[in-house]
Amino acid sequence: AAVEFGILHHVPGWRTALVELARVLKPGGHFWFEDLTSTFSENRVTSLFLEHPRGLAIHASTFRDALVDAGFEVESLRDVVGLGFFGHAIRRAAAPASP
């Protein structure tokens, strides 16, 4: 199993990180995730309190597509509009080759 809690929006190559995660998880392995969207992490009020990279935030629909492309089956993905998203995915039997 693997857990990601608010870190992938700091990773410039986050799609490649998902492919690597699929590579190291056994088929049927679980991945629980939570991350912020640009609406939250890049707004003026939030930037007064938190330091976040600009332009790396991930939208829930983009993340869902990237999970599928990386070799996951998305079990759940909840978009909390304006804040972020969270959910659960399972590594499919055969992960695709690295991008």
Side-chain angles (χ1 to χ4, degrees):
V3 176
E4 180 270 325
F5 186 77
I7 195 69
L8 281 179
H9 70 274
H10 289 274
V11 179
W14 64 267
R15 286 178 177 86
T16 303
L18 288 180
V19 171
E20 181 64 8
L21 181 61
R23 186 188 70 77
V24 299
L25 277 176
K26 292 180 179 181
H30 295 264
F31 175 43
W32 287 274
F33 53 86
E34 179 279 336
D35 222 307
L36 303 176
T37 63
S38 61
T39 307
F40 178 77
S41 65
E42 295 180 7
N43 76 51
R44 292 187 314 148
V45 175
T46 305
S47 65
L48 294 173
F49 303 102
L50 302 172
E51 196 169 313
H52 279 90
R54 295 248 178 235
L56 293 178
I58 308 162
H59 293 281
S61 60
T62 303
F63 195 72
R64 176 186 300 278
D65 293 344
L67 283 168
V68 171
D69 291 345
F72 288 95
E73 182 176 324
V74 180
E75 293 292 305
S76 66
L77 191 150
R78 180 156 182 207
D79 186 3
V80 182
V81 178
L83 295 174
F85 57 89
F86 61 93
H88 172 237
I90 297 176
R91 164 56 157 76
R92 290 192 308 254
S98 298

